[in-house]
């Protein structure tokens, strides 16, 4: 099985692209490519990434007084 590339492996290649090719690459990256299942297999969500609170919009308001 071939070795999977990392971002560090491809960054020099991206840096060598012309401006028009970088735009093309960014558009391709931003385009929807179906489900994110493979991304979640590679980097599953952490235990604290999704909070289990009953009220998802609740937050601790302490400390915000200084911003008024």
């Amino acid at each position: 099985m071939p070795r999977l590339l990392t971002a560090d492996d491809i960054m020099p290649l991206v840096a060598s692209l012309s401006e028009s090719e970088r735009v093309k690459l960014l558009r391709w990256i931003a385009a929807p490519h179906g489900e994110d299942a493979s991304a979640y297999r590679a980097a599953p969500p952490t235990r604290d990434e999704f909070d289990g609170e009953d009220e998802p919009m609740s937050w601790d308001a302490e400390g915000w007084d200084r911003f008024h």
Side-chain angles (χ1 to χ4, degrees):
M1 182 169 154
R3 181 179 76 84
L4 295 176
L5 296 176
T6 67
D8 290 333
D9 293 330
I10 64 169
M11 288 310 293
L13 298 172
V14 173
S16 70
L17 293 173
S18 68
E19 185 175 339
S20 63
E21 287 297 310
R22 283 188 202 175
V23 169
K24 184 177 174 182
L25 177 62
L26 288 172
R27 286 185 180 145
W28 180 81
I29 290 169
H33 293 286
E35 297 181 15
D36 293 330
S38 63
Y40 281 110
R41 277 193 299 278
T46 60
R47 288 177 43 99
D48 60 344
E49 186 171 351
F50 298 103
D51 197 353
E53 288 186 19
D54 290 336
E55 179 57 48
M57 296 302 287
S58 68
W59 54 282
D60 187 5
E62 284 185 37
W64 287 93
D65 294 335
R66 66 177 182 225
F67 295 103
H68 285 272

